[in-house]
Amino acid sequence: MDDDGTRGARGSSADRVPGPALPPPPTTPPRVPAPAAGPRPGATPVEQHPTRPGPASPAEQPVPGAPVDAWLRTPRPPQEPGVWRYGYTPPPPEEPEGVSNRSLLVGALISLLSALLLWSLWRNGYLPYRLVPLKLFTPGEWWNPGTSGGPRTIEGSDALTVYEAILFGLLAYGCGRIGNFSELFRRHVADRGQPFLALAAAAAAGLTQLLVWKEALPVVRPVLVLVASVAGGEIYQSQTVVNVIYAVIAAAVLYPFARLGCWRELIAARRGAAAPAPDGTAAAPAAATSADQWPELRTAGWADAADTLTAEVRTGRMSDVDVARLRHAWALATRRPDRLAPLAEAVLRTGGAAALHPSGHRDLPRRGARHDVLTGQVRIGRCADDPHNPYVRRGTGLALEPALLGTSLLAVGPPGAGKTARLIRPVVEALALRALAGQAAVLAVGGAGAPLGPDDAIDVVVRLGHPGSAHDIDLYGGTTDPDEAAAVLAEGLVGDVGSLDSRRAATVLAQLLGPYRAAHGHFPSVPELRELLDGTPAALAGLRASLEAAGHHAMLRELDARSRQAGGPGDPAPALADRVALLDRPAFTGFFATGPDARPFSLRALGQHPLRVRVDLPERGHAEASRLLTRLLLAQFTAITAARTDTTLFACLVLDDATHAVTAETVRGIRRLRSVNAGAVLALRTVDDVPETLHTPLLGAVGCTAAFSGITTWDGKRFAEAWGKEWVETREVAQHTVFADQPFTRALHALRKLVTGKAVTTDAVTVRQVERERWSASELAYAVPAGHAVIRLATVEGEHAPPLLVHLDG
């Protein structure tokens, strides 16, 4: 059977894309199942066939019947770095800090009692000159003489009735404003929602109606007086007119309470919920938007292809990965017009299965995180409601995307803090989805058994030291240049040795790799390289004889130079040989082959194809060898991605454990990744796993940093320095003892001190702007709860977000 070169020989070259390790996908596109009820917290996603798309996560589940259609129509407004944009709703404006409930209630009670006292004094005539304003605007014959004289005529009595009603309205309005009854109503009534709001408004309306008709509130008589003054007293001879006036008064008193209680909205909501949908009628389809009409295809003149994809979206035969893949494929095809026609024909022929990933997969077998493939975001948590977080970010989802990972990410936290499960795995999963959409390539490196994703979600799985591994790793990065191979290999072998110059080590390796390749056509294997570095006479003599027979005089001079320098002071060859000996173990027999029949996997394929690669390292039995290989893969990745010419594909390296993998050269390489559409994700248990001289350069090279709960104050200090300071407003209160000069005042102060036990003091408040650290070392070490992390994000365009306290639920 034809295995496309993926079985039999271990490995895959840079020019060959690994074929599907599973049966090919069915000819019909997979259906996206309609989402059911929300999953239980902590429920495990159901495993599915590798070629079928899994169910959308809760945040991405559109309405049943047309899941992808609704997913496409969901708004994704542009936001600050790290904001989960899918269905984002901005928070309400921040309210100023209000008074406490106790102060609010006491103020309202005092205002009400004051208003009742003032109204009682008015009604009983204890306020002097209370009728003077009314007498200034009415005829004098209506009133008895004197400033306190009452009405003499019926007109005066009617004017006094209306005057008292107006004053009562002004008094009620002033009492409400001074007592802040609107805030009291909002906190204790409106915020409780329906039906409490409607019931409270109805109770208040009933009490007010009772007081109005008992004439405890001046409403009915002033209205009757005004109507009689306008229409004449004869109008009350008709009982119907009187009933209408009473009904209008009752409705006018009831109307404000109906508005406050939102009775109309409540009744409309109850009627809408109770009214069943007519049988046999389907819900009208949502208005078509540009997202589900494929305007880019219609603009190019391929309306038939756009109609085909629109039908597949609306009938549920496409997944979110299909949509992202086809949009990306069409964007690439527009750059080369000769590809437009074949792509459109493939869409007409196969629908959503056009432009498939080389593996034939259209989705991951299962998803453990919440993704929005259209924007490339993966949600890893929610910003906590903490004073350190800006108000607009509190409660919003936090997501990672290639624009952020392109600046590289450094995560530091002790074992068990959740780096792998809550950050590394969601990132690998998101990049794997992007790879299926043809937009990214990912290399995940971790220990054997690390939860970096199932095997059926990966194209190439390299299990170093495992005899059943179908793939191998090329120690030389797939290059044919001896100098380039020597530089990268030297960085991986002895880059962590501070006393050894990696440039001298690269020179030693080049003096051996160049002659060997010229003589044999390939680089030496691990045992052969070890013999050459040890200076074994038989190995050097055999190499010299091969070079002389082939006439490679330039390479003979290289070999002679190596022979002269061998054994000299500072010769890096012994150190290189000792490191190579870590790979020359029985467990690695058959690995790192370089002969003509060997086809190890080369990292150069990541820059050419949207591959999903995972490397399992034997950390338990060969810890030093695993660190060496991790360092070598990081050096190869930074060198290969920086040298590629086509940067349309986002390439990312994810190291689950980057202990002793970071060197001075790789830090410089990480800085260059953002300019070539690539990034690296490094996880460390502590910053001390990196040489001390590289602490500051590493934190300055990465744009995104994450400090997990449980870090030490030493690590917290480095993060605090890297995140800088901000201006904050501080409020200092100083208490000063009050010294009285008058005897009576001193007596009162003595009595107060005797009762309270405290001296009489006054507060001196000082408000000023000071510059403080965003997060101090102590706060990072002791104030970050379990399951949380403080994350600072930045984009390749230069946008950045402040360090945010995030509850990780990825």
Side-chain angles (χ1 to χ4, degrees), residues 406-426:
T407 64
S408 298
L409 185 147
L410 176 66
V412 179
K419 299 188 301 298
T420 301
R422 301 184 179 185
L423 180 64
I424 299 299
R425 178 164 182 172

Side-chain angles (χ1 to χ4, degrees), residues 168 204-224 245-254 256-257:
F168 179 82
L207 177 62
T208 305
Q209 290 279 8
L210 179 63
L211 295 177
V212 167
W213 297 111
K214 290 292 185 179
E215 296 190 1
L217 299 179
V219 176
V220 177
R221 287 179 57 85
V223 172
L224 295 178
I245 293 175
Y246 285 165
V248 171
I249 293 175
V253 173
L254 194 63
F257 296 98

Side-chain angles (χ1 to χ4, degrees), residues 114-133 135 147-149 160 163-164 167-168 171:
S114 301
L116 291 176
L117 176 62
L118 187 62
W119 182 247
S120 177
L121 294 176
W122 167 271
R123 293 297 299 268
N124 291 282
Y126 289 108
L127 296 180
Y129 310 107
R130 63 190 186 96
L131 298 180
V132 171
K135 291 180 179 180
T147 56
S148 59
L160 180 60
Y163 179 59
E164 287 183 345
L167 290 180
F168 179 82
L171 181 63

Side-chain angles (χ1 to χ4, degrees), residues 244-327:
V244 169
I245 293 175
Y246 285 165
V248 171
I249 293 175
V253 173
L254 194 63
Y255 178 75
F257 296 98
R259 290 290 301 273
L260 289 175
C262 301
W263 294 353
R264 182 177 180 183
E265 292 80 358
L266 179 62
I267 295 173
R270 292 298 176 88
R271 287 181 177 178
D279 296 336
T281 60
T289 62
S290 59
D292 57 4
Q293 287 292 312
W294 300 87
E296 57 271 21
L297 275 72
R298 300 183 186 276
T299 304
W302 296 96
D304 294 342
D307 293 338
T308 300
L309 295 179
T310 301
E312 296 234 334
V313 167
R314 292 185 175 178
T315 55
R317 294 198 300 268
M318 289 180 64
S319 68
D320 54 353
V321 180
D322 294 331
V323 174
R325 186 187 68 251
L326 290 174
R327 286 183 179 274

Side-chain angles (χ1 to χ4, degrees), residues 143-166:
W143 309 98
N144 291 320
T147 56
S148 59
R152 178 188 298 177
T153 62
I154 297 177
E155 291 82 358
S157 299
D158 293 342
L160 180 60
T161 300
V162 176
Y163 179 59
E164 287 183 345
I166 294 175

